[in-house]
């Protein structure tokens, strides 16, 4: 088996440099690559373009890279809950492109499947459609307009999985899966950090979500805070 | 006139046995509390759940298990989790039968605006544009008028659109209305104690009133 293991987050991100485009997995603070984000803060690379569904909160997730002004552009579907983000966006320091969530996911998928464009009805007739080719298709008896959206082209994808093996095979857990599998498929180079790294042979091939061919570097994260954005509970009884 | 729970209760009657349903944030989330016993529905959360359960008991929260509103939730027996591409795949391919969401404005041809107010901080559309562009059956839960007292049921939306010609039904604190394919809001039901006149006054778009309009059954 090909060994995809790197020592730690610092080694995994060593050749991420200024002006690069990164796909960053996670939904809210769920399933985010905490260790790689910390390593990028430490490395202090600048002018990053980050494609990620959300932008973290002020002091966690991608919010950490916003605080240090390392991100020049965010491509996201929803960016609430972050005051520093709001400040940088309103002052024009940060370029923000808002795109529909399904479009974001499918543009990743297209990259991983080797297809340069997708057609989606999301955003037809809205400002999202401005400047994009529109085509009409009849499908399943329904004639509708579809927007042409491009597959992402990113230098690196940084994802977080629950378990991984030394060959880079990944298993995700619960809703921490979210954008991680399709982003893993979409990076020119994909870095996966995992909660538990095991030897090859210890994961059931039938249970693998992302085959190691998509994962160029894998390491076990030093620690996971796994912060919860909104703890909501019900009373017993 | 209905409160938020009343709107949710009325919408719950539109949810039929065997449906897969996506509930938006706000009033739509409350709909889950009023689905009658014996009506089996599966709730979809677009971050990757089918069969979403209630909030966890205190101490049982799982950071890896949240809903699209980023709240901790639970899974029911028979539920499944999946990635975001598949989640929007089942939305786009109309396997999800019903979408219930909030709105700032709806126009008489079924256009919806619910994601952006120019000049204010824009948070993004999340999955709303995907949902409204694909769902066959979209019910909007909203107040009939905005905080300034202006109608939210318009001839044409003034705010940036989320989707076009997609809303099928609207439930407000005053009324239940259909959006007609040829354009116009058709009044179906009045909220308890609300007159047709009140609804007319609160509706800026074309309103069709045919015959006696019954009061809602909740």
């Amino acid at each position: 088996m090909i060994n995809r293991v790197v020592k730690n987050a610092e080694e995994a991100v060593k050749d991420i440099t200024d002006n690069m485009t990164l796909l960053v997995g996670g939904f809210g603070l769920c399933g985010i690559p905490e260790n790689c984000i910390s390593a990028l803060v430490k490395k202090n690379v600048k002018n990053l373009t980050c494609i990620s569904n959300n932008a973290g909160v002020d002091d966690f997730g991608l919010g950490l890279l916003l605080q240090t002004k390392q991100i020049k552009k965010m491509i996201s579907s929803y960016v609430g809950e972050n005051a520093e983000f709001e400040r940088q966006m309103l002052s024009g320091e940060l370029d923000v492109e808002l795109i529909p969530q399904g479009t974001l996911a499918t543009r990743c998928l297209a990259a991983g499947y080797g297809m340069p464009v997708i057609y989606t009805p999301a955003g037809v007739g809205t400002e999202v459609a401005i400047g994009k080719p529109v085509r009409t298709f009849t499908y399943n008896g329904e004639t509708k307009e579809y927007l042409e959206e491009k597959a992402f082209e990113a230098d690196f994808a940084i994802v977080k999985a629950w378990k991984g093996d030394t060959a880079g095979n990944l298993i995700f857990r619960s809703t921490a899966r979210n954008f991680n599998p399709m982003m893993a498929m979409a990076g020119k180079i994909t870095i996966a950090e995992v909660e538990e790294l095991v030897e090859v042979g210890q994961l059931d091939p039938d249970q693998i979500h992302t085959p190691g061919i998509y994962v160029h570097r894998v390491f076990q994260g030093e620690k996971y805070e796994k912060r919860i954005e909104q703890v909501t509970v019900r009373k017993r009884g | 006139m209905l409160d938020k729970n009343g709107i949710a209760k009325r919408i719950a009657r539109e949810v039929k046995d065997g449906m897969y349903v996506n509930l938006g944030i706000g009033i739509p989330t409350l709909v889950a509390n009023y689905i009658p016993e014996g009506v089996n529905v599966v709730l979809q959360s677009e971050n990757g759940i089918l069969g979403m359960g209630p909030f966890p008991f205190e101490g049982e929260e799982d950071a890896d298990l949240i809903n699209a509103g980023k709240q901790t939730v639970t899974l029911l027996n028979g539920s499944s989790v999946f990635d975001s591409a598949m989640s929007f795949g089942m939305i786009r391919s109309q396997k999800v039968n019903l979408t219930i969401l909030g709105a700032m404005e709806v126009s008489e041809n079924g256009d919806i605006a619910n994601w952006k107010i120019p000049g204010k901080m824009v948070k993004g559309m999340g999955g709303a544009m995907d949902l409204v562009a694909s769902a066959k059956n979209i019910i909007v839960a909203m107040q009939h008028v905005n905080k300034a007292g202006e109608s939210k049921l318009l001839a044409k939306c003034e705010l940036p659109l989320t989707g076009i010609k997609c809303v099928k039904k609207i439930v407000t604190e005053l009324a239940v209305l259909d959006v007609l394919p040829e354009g116009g809001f058709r009044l179906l039901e009045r909220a308890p104690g609300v007159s047709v006149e009140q609804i007319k006054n609160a509706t800026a778009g074309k309103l069709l009133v045919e015959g006696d309009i019954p009061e809602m059954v909740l």
Side-chain angles (χ1 to χ4, degrees):
Chain A
M1 276 297 153
I2 295 169
N3 190 310
R4 301 290 214 182
V5 177
V6 294
K7 200 168 67 194
N8 53 27
E10 285 68 34
E11 191 186 328
V13 304
K14 64 178 190 299
D15 47 357
I16 295 182
T17 54
D18 292 357
N19 304 306
M20 279 188 170
T21 297
L22 313 179
L23 290 154
V24 183
F27 177 88
L29 301 178
C30 183
I32 58 171
E34 299 182 20
N35 291 275
C36 282
I37 291 171
S38 298
L40 287 171
V41 171
K42 215 182 284 175
K43 197 170 157 55
N44 200 26
V45 280
K46 299 278 188 193
N47 290 322
L48 298 172
T49 295
C50 288
I51 304 164
S52 189
N53 191 58
N54 312 93
V57 294
D58 274 317
D59 60 347
F60 201 56
L62 287 179
L64 295 171
L65 286 169
L66 286 162
Q67 271 187 3
T68 48
K69 303 198 171 64
Q70 290 172 258
I71 301 178
K72 86 171 169 208
K73 181 174 183 181
M74 277 299 313
I75 301 175
S76 302
S77 87
Y78 190 84
V79 294
E81 16 283 352
N82 191 324
E84 176 61 17
F85 182 100
E86 186 170 341
R87 192 197 65 72
Q88 289 184 24
M89 180 174 166
L90 294 174
S91 70
E93 288 165 62
L94 180 70
D95 187 8
V96 179
E97 185 181 342
L98 293 168
I99 64 173
Q101 193 175 338
T103 300
L104 200 164
T106 315
R107 288 174 68 187
C108 295
L109 199 72
Y113 276 70
M115 299 185 296
V117 296
I118 59 156
Y119 287 94
T120 176
V124 167
T126 75
E127 62 184 52
V128 166
I130 294 169
K132 288 174 188 160
V134 177
R135 286 188 64 181
T136 304
F137 296 107
T138 302
Y139 178 65
N140 279 341
E142 202 180 349
T143 302
K144 269 163 76 157
E145 289 188 329
Y146 293 79
L147 291 187
E148 186 180 294
E149 298 273 10
K150 289 191 166 70
F152 285 122
E153 295 177 62
D155 300 297
F156 281 84
I158 305 172
V159 304
K160 188 258 167 181
W162 179 44
K163 287 184 182 178
D165 68 17
T166 54
N169 295 304
L170 304 178
I171 296 177
F172 302 92
R173 185 175 172 274
S174 200
T175 59
R177 193 180 324 180
N178 56 62
F179 289 85
N180 283 301
M182 75 233 40
M183 285 189 172
M185 293 166 68
K188 287 195 187 82
I189 297 173
T190 291
I191 300 167
E193 56 170 87
V194 300
E195 287 181 55
E196 189 185 350
L197 183 66
V198 300
E199 289 301 321
V200 287
Q202 294 191 281
L203 299 180
D204 178 354
D206 274 330
Q207 305 298 320
I208 303 292
H209 294 126
T210 299
I213 191 170
Y214 287 114
V215 179
H216 305 86
R217 299 170 191 174
V218 63
F219 69 95
Q220 184 171 309
E222 199 179 316
K223 67 173 178 74
Y224 285 97
E225 182 179 335
K226 298 223 267 183
R227 199 185 291 187
I228 299 175
E229 216 162 319
Q230 292 195 48
V231 176
T232 44
V233 294
R234 73 190 138 126
K235 291 258 182 290
R236 276 171 210 277
Chain B
M1 200 180 296
L2 302 175
D3 61 7
K4 283 179 179 181
N5 283 293
I7 295 174
K9 212 168 167 181
R10 175 59 192 84
I11 291 177
R13 287 184 43 223
E14 303 292 320
V15 179
K16 307 293 185 228
D17 195 54
M19 276 184 169
Y20 293 89
V21 183
N22 182 290
L23 301 176
I25 293 164
I27 300 174
T29 305
L30 300 173
V31 173
N33 301 335
Y34 298 104
I35 294 170
E37 229 170 286
V39 174
N40 288 304
V41 300
V42 173
L43 298 181
Q44 199 247 17
S45 189
E46 66 269 22
N47 59 317
I49 308 174
L50 275 172
M52 181 171 53
F55 297 140
F57 290 119
E58 206 171 338
E60 293 178 2
E61 316 85 82
D62 178 350
D64 288 340
L65 182 50
I66 62 170
N67 65 14
K70 301 177 184 92
Q71 299 168 306
T72 46
V73 290
T74 56
L75 298 177
L76 300 174
N77 287 342
S79 73
S80 55
V81 291
F82 35 84
D83 66 54
S84 302
M86 184 179 282
S87 182
F88 284 93
M90 63 185 71
I91 288 166
R92 220 179 281 121
S93 61
Q94 303 181 334
K95 308 293 183 204
V96 177
N97 309 103
L98 175 62
T99 290
I100 302 170
L101 76 176
M104 298 167 185
E105 294 176 348
V106 177
S107 77
E108 62 190 34
N109 67 347
D111 293 354
I112 177 171
N114 75 349
W115 76 284
K116 182 175 184 178
I117 301 174
K120 289 205 175 165
M121 171 62 191
V122 182
K123 293 189 169 182
M125 66 291 278
M129 283 194 182
D130 306 274
L131 281 158
V132 300
S134 293
K136 266 202 170 125
N137 194 1
I138 299 173
I139 301 178
V140 163
M142 67 173 189
Q143 302 298 320
H144 216 102
V145 296
N146 65 20
K147 281 176 190 144
E150 298 154 346
S151 180
K152 295 167 72 171
L153 285 79
L154 306 172
K156 197 169 181 292
C157 291
E158 284 157 22
L159 294 170
L161 295 177
T162 308
I164 54 170
K165 295 180 197 158
C166 53
V167 177
K168 300 287 187 294
K169 188 167 267 184
I170 305 164
V171 179
T172 74
E173 77 282 19
L174 302 180
V176 180
L177 310 102
D178 260 351
V179 181
L180 298 174
E182 65 272 23
F185 303 107
R186 179 168 64 191
L187 183 58
L188 298 177
E189 298 172 22
R190 298 174 288 115
V194 173
S195 70
V196 170
E197 211 47 42
Q198 269 174 286
I199 297 162
K200 274 185 185 163
N201 290 337
T203 308
K206 186 162 81 177
L207 182 72
L208 286 100
V209 184
E210 292 159 355
D212 277 343
I213 305 299
E215 199 170 277
M216 282 178 208
V217 180
L218 291 168

